Amino acid sequence: MTNHIEQFLVTANEMREIEKRIFVAGMPVPALMEKVAGLIAKRIQEILTSREKNITHSSSPMIGVLVGPGHNGGDALVVARELHFQGYQVIIYCPFSKLKDLTACHSQYVRSLNIPYFEDIENLKKCDVLIDGLFGFGLEREIVNPVAAAIDEINSWKKPIFSIDIPSGLHTDTGAILGTAIRATNTFCLGLWKLAFLQDQALEYIGTAELIDFDIQIADITAVLGESPAVKRIVKASAIAHLPLPRRPDSHKYTNGHLLIVAGSRRYTGAAILAALGARASGVGMLSIAAPESLKLLVAAQLPEALVIGCSETTEGAISQLPLGLDFGAYDAIACGPGLTSEPALIVKSILESDRPLILDADGLNILAQFGTIPTLSTRKAPTVITPHPGEFKRLFPDLAHKMGDRIVVTQQAAELSGAVVLLKGARVCISWKDAIGKVSTVINPQSTPALARGGSGDVLTGLLAGLWAQAAAKNEPVESVVETAVWWHAQAGIVAANERTELGVDAFTLTQYLISALHNDFSH
């Protein structure tokens, strides 16, 4: 198991258990608070100093600190004290009369330093920057007035806000908003990443997130999470480890996988091309594309190296049947769905009945929903990956639709029910699968960009994933790590493209042109 702490994800209860082990081992709670708050204060000072350098004639900002009754408030008070000692003008807002003992001690001390201390928020209006230490991880009750009203007013000011551990008002596991929540511009997650940081509904409140590592021992983490944690973040090291690089010097096109893509229609002419361009970037050895006959020349013009299989089509321009004699067994993997429309249901059924590794996307999923997801996938003789966006997911798993607020849980349950690898698209792609002994594992991609929220982006991901899987299948390698790699690679290409072209300039075709350059820095030497 890697010792890379960035991979670990914890629930509120798991974090409590890990902290309990630290304290039982002898770490004094006050000492840990001093250490953690000191790291936060240092990081805030670094950010503020960097901002001041970029602003002409700037004076040192006034900092308002929001203090809650628990240890999150204690952290905030220590941060306030340290910034005060560094010469910053600091004021404190604390609307609570009853504080935990340690927090009360810090409150008493900052008052002795004559740091202004208020119970209403009016004085915070003159601050340039706010630090949120109202509520930490583990909050489960809704925030109510007058604190809720104060948070709403603070948000309306649109000032820079640094949240300690998690923005006040977010559920640590689901990312749900508990009545209201602080909209932070920066959040410092303490010790280990909490699940909320990878839940789509929490992202607009978290802002820019970074981990404050305060040296938790790996033994304490594994004692709670196990040697192989059930939920992990995708990190660069694990993603690139499963790229098909470097290649064996004696490799040839057939050892590098043969992929069949079944996609496209007259209505969605570009879907097959985008998926195929994604597959091309994967380095797959051989690429075959089954598309309507009317699209054959168009597809071949974009991908002259591919074997384009023209298929008979319906009056609406969808594939009506595959050519006689087409042998699925000739392929290491099949990708099916982009741009098909709902007409080729019998073709999708025949592919599902094959013994080939299969990636189903888009209209392939809509047709699958008509068949009944669970019985259809659970009887397949080969691994299956499904790649739904939330709408497709609800059609596939209607009994889970009401749980979509917790994307991690529903992805896990879908994987357990279907036996497939489930890739739930979103701002933070979540992937779950069930292994041979029935254990469900999950990985989540923590880095992406809104630039990928464009039509066709998913087609590119399908092709990229399918191309990687065909190469892995040719070498009898497991699929799960390939899915992780494809999702990471796809997102990195989007990030690189957005950095060069802005988030508005990354259409799906442009994205395909950045897939290789996104890897260049890692493998150019």
Side-chain angles (χ1 to χ4, degrees):
M1 186 187 68
T2 178
N3 285 351
H4 202 307
I5 202 168
E6 288 278 344
Q7 277 195 308
F8 297 113
L9 276 166
V10 291
T11 64
N13 286 337
E14 288 167 342
M15 193 66 206
R16 288 189 190 100
E17 289 300 312
I18 291 170
E19 287 190 342
K20 186 186 297 183
R21 289 182 59 86
I22 295 171
F23 298 139
V24 168
M27 167 64 81
V29 176
L32 185 60
M33 182 177 287
E34 287 288 335
K35 179 177 183 176
V36 171
L39 292 170
I40 297 168
K42 180 181 178 182
R43 185 67 188 114
I44 290 175
Q45 190 172 2
E46 290 171 349
I47 295 172
L48 294 180
T49 300
S50 175
R51 290 179 181 176
E52 289 166 17
K53 288 179 180 178
N54 295 324
I55 301 175
T56 307
H57 305 302
S58 66
S59 57
S60 183
M62 179 182 290
I63 301 172
V65 182
L66 286 57
V67 174
H71 284 174
N72 193 252
D75 291 337
L77 287 165
V78 177
V79 171
R81 182 196 73 202
E82 292 303 299
L83 292 175
H84 168 77
F85 286 152
Q86 293 299 318
Y88 288 94
Q89 186 176 354
V90 178
I91 65 173
I92 291 171
Y93 158 69
C94 181
F96 304 96
S97 57
K98 185 177 181 180
L99 308 177
K100 277 193 172 183
D101 291 345
L102 181 55
T103 303
C105 289
H106 287 298
S107 174
Q108 179 181 337
Y109 184 57
V110 297
R111 288 173 184 265
S112 76
L113 298 173
N114 293 321
I115 297 175
Y117 202 104
F118 302 99
E119 294 182 3
D120 60 76
I121 63 170
E122 289 304 309
N123 290 281
L124 294 178
K125 286 184 178 179
K126 59 187 177 184
C127 293
D128 303 293
V129 175
L130 302 176
I131 298 172
D132 164 34
L134 287 173
F135 304 103
F137 80 87
L139 183 69
E140 294 183 346
R141 292 180 298 179
E142 285 200 356
I143 299 175
V144 297
N145 288 333
V147 177
I151 288 175
D152 289 341
E153 185 170 351
I154 288 167
N155 286 336
S156 73
W157 299 339
K158 300 188 184 304
K159 294 179 183 289
I161 303 177
F162 298 103
S163 279
I164 296 174
D165 204 14
I166 189 168
S168 296
L170 289 189
H171 191 284
T172 309
D173 299 345
T174 68
I177 292 82
L178 298 171
T180 189
I182 289 286
R183 290 181 180 270
T185 49
N186 297 73
T187 300
F188 304 111
C189 186
L190 306 182
L192 295 168
W193 289 108
K194 317 304 187 298
L195 291 181
F197 285 78
L198 296 179
Q199 297 276 19
D200 283 12
Q201 62 185 337
L203 297 182
E204 66 176 303
Y205 292 85
I206 287 170
T208 300
E210 60 182 279
L211 188 69
I212 300 295
D213 179 2
F214 56 81
D215 303 316
I216 300 175
Q217 296 298 301
I218 294 298
D220 290 325
I221 298 172
T222 56
V224 175
L225 302 184
E227 290 293 329
S228 181
V231 184
K232 295 190 293 186
R233 298 167 83 249
I234 298 175
V235 296
K236 176 180 173 181
S238 63
I240 66 174
H242 298 287
L243 285 166
L245 288 171
R247 284 185 165 177
R248 287 173 53 96
D250 61 344
S251 65
H252 55 80
K253 59 187 178 183
Y254 291 110
T255 61
N256 292 322
H258 190 176
L259 170 66
L260 172 65
I261 296 176
V262 183
S265 62
R266 200 181 308 149
R267 182 178 181 185
Y268 302 111
T269 58
I273 293 171
L274 291 170
L277 289 173
R280 169 198 272 175
S282 77
V284 67
M286 288 288 291
L287 176 59
S288 294
I289 307 162
E293 182 69 36
S294 59
L295 301 186
K296 184 174 179 178
L297 292 179
L298 179 63
V299 175
Q302 292 289 332
L303 295 111
E305 77 282 8
L307 303 175
V308 184
I309 303 167
C311 303
S312 58
E313 52 190 277
T314 67
T315 55
E316 299 298 320
I319 298 174
S320 60
Q321 63 181 29
L322 298 174
L324 294 175
L326 182 67
D327 179 14
F328 294 142
Y331 305 100
D332 294 297
I334 301 173
C336 176
L340 277 183
T341 78
S342 60
E343 288 191 80
L346 293 179
I347 292 170
V348 173
K349 185 175 185 293
S350 68
I351 293 172
L352 284 164
E353 291 171 351
S354 75
D355 65 352
R356 296 293 85 192
L358 172 63
I359 296 93
L360 272 183
D361 183 35
D363 284 319
L365 298 175
N366 293 327
I367 292 171
L368 177 64
Q370 299 171 20
F371 297 153
T373 307
I374 297 170
T376 305
L377 296 183
S378 60
T379 57
R380 288 208 76 234
K381 299 174 184 177
T384 309
V385 177
I386 57 175
T387 60
H389 58 57
E392 292 162 344
F393 185 95
K394 291 175 182 178
R395 289 191 286 275
L396 289 168
F397 302 99
D399 292 343
L400 299 179
H402 68 287
K403 300 181 181 180
M404 288 295 289
D406 190 337
R407 290 167 47 85
I408 298 170
V409 166
V410 296
T411 307
Q412 292 170 330
Q413 293 181 350
E416 189 163 14
L417 288 168
S418 66
V421 179
V422 180
L423 186 163
L424 179 57
K425 295 173 182 174
R428 297 294 179 265
V429 173
C430 185
I431 308 158
S432 292
W433 66 92
K434 183 168 62 174
D435 65 19
I437 62 173
K439 177 186 175 183
V440 175
S441 297
T442 301
V443 293
I444 309 166
N445 189 32
Q447 290 185 313
S448 191
T449 169
L452 293 175
R454 299 281 291 269
S457 175
D459 300 332
V460 177
L461 175 59
T462 294
L464 180 65
L465 167 57
L468 288 172
W469 197 3
Q471 295 172 75
K475 301 176 179 67
N476 293 315
E477 295 174 355
V479 62
E480 294 82 14
S481 56
V482 170
V483 181
E484 174 182 349
T485 297
V487 167
W488 174 85
W489 186 358
H490 180 261
Q492 290 301 312
I495 292 168
V496 172
N499 286 340
E500 289 190 13
R501 301 172 59 90
T502 78
E503 292 177 352
L504 302 182
V506 190
D507 58 88
F509 180 79
T510 297
L511 175 65
T512 67
Q513 298 176 310
Y514 279 83
L515 287 168
I516 296 302
S517 60
L519 298 183
H520 181 71
N521 291 337
D522 297 308
F523 293 95
S524 58
H525 303 296

